[in-house]
Amino acid sequence: KRGVRLGILLPELYKMQVEAIIRASINVYGKKQTEFAPEIMLPMVSSFKEVNLLRNLIEGVVSEINKEFNYPITYKLGVMVETPRAALKAGELAKISSFLSFGTNDLTQMTYGLSRDDSGTFMRDYLAKEIFPIDPFRSLDLDGVGELLKIAFKKSRAANPYIKIGMCGEHGGDPKSIDFIKKIGLDFVSCSPFRVPVARIAAAQ
């Protein structure tokens, strides 16, 4: 059970998390909560129906909380695109999402059929034999995973012109990967804290 499946099989867990997020947002912003709507992102999605089911669950929680206040409360729903199927079906996902984020760590694993945890046992040999030009877990595979990103971006923007699209993961701190996502039109990049300085410089360049 990973990602979105956990919320479907154990809905009370997601309800608890959503309530905590919304109440924290209200505690901080009060009546201005709608101006700073929290972003709730569903991970490891592969189907529109998964997102739609959990969107209804989330809206139910928000609706109940809303009854306690005399001002509106809202949130933004996002999807973490980490599976090849989600990338290919991004147009459908974009119709019910405010933003999409490409989780390229897992997307790379699933596209290659590799585990990042044990890739070190053969990666050096693969690079030496030039089977892979680069370690795809360090710098984005532009020909394979990158092609999925292009397809997903085109489909999602066609379905929802206002959707925000970005990338997160270790590739978010790699200058070559940042240059690629900028060229195809993505809006934002996210990475681990220690890679933020490199990401900022690459984005500025």
Side-chain angles (χ1 to χ4, degrees):
K1 295 183 291 186
R2 279 194 67 190
V4 72
R5 294 186 290 278
L6 194 60
I8 292 172
L9 297 176
L10 300 171
E12 294 304 318
L13 177 62
Y14 266 35
K15 286 181 180 180
M16 176 186 66
Q17 292 178 329
V18 169
E19 182 173 359
I21 291 169
I22 298 299
R23 290 194 182 279
S25 176
I26 294 169
N27 287 339
V28 173
Y29 298 112
K31 292 183 178 180
K32 292 186 177 181
Q33 194 268 352
T34 55
E35 298 178 31
F36 305 96
E39 296 182 345
I40 298 175
M41 185 159 56
L42 302 177
M44 203 55 66
V45 164
S46 60
S47 166
F48 172 91
K49 290 185 177 181
E50 291 173 323
V51 179
N52 198 43
L53 179 65
L54 288 178
R55 182 184 66 165
N56 292 336
L57 180 148
I58 292 168
E59 290 184 349
V61 173
V62 175
S63 177
E64 284 299 311
I65 297 174
N66 225 335
K67 293 176 182 178
E68 302 176 25
F69 301 91
N70 60 359
Y71 51 84
I73 296 167
T74 191
Y75 70 98
K76 293 180 180 178
L77 180 68
V79 169
M80 181 79 84
V81 179
E82 299 169 277
T83 69
R85 191 178 194 281
L88 295 172
K89 304 299 286 185
E92 291 183 4
L93 302 176
K95 292 178 182 178
I96 55 173
S97 305
S98 297
F99 63 99
L100 300 178
S101 184
F102 293 111
T104 53
N105 292 343
D106 277 313
L107 187 58
T108 297
Q109 291 190 111
M110 293 193 181
T111 302
Y112 272 88
L114 299 177
S115 168
R116 186 169 58 157
D117 294 334
D118 61 22
S119 65
T121 61
F122 64 84
M123 188 60 68
R124 183 177 299 176
D125 290 331
Y126 263 53
L127 296 176
K129 297 178 187 299
E130 299 184 347
I131 297 172
F132 294 165
I134 53 169
D135 181 344
F137 295 113
R138 292 185 177 275
S139 189
L140 190 67
D141 164 34
L142 305 187
D143 294 331
V145 179
E147 195 64 27
L148 281 174
L149 264 61
K150 288 180 182 178
I151 293 169
F153 176 81
K154 183 177 180 180
K155 289 189 173 186
S156 54
R157 271 287 157 79
N160 181 356
Y162 303 104
I163 194 167
K164 288 189 175 181
I165 309 171
M167 178 182 75
C168 67
E170 291 306 302
H171 297 115
D174 172 59
K176 185 178 179 181
S177 303
I178 292 173
D179 181 58
F180 172 78
I181 66 165
K182 174 64 178 175
K183 286 178 179 177
I184 67 173
L186 270 62
D187 302 302
F188 65 89
V189 62
S190 173
C191 62
S192 57
F194 77 94
R195 303 197 79 176
V196 167
V198 174
R200 283 179 171 171
I201 292 172
Q205 290 174 338

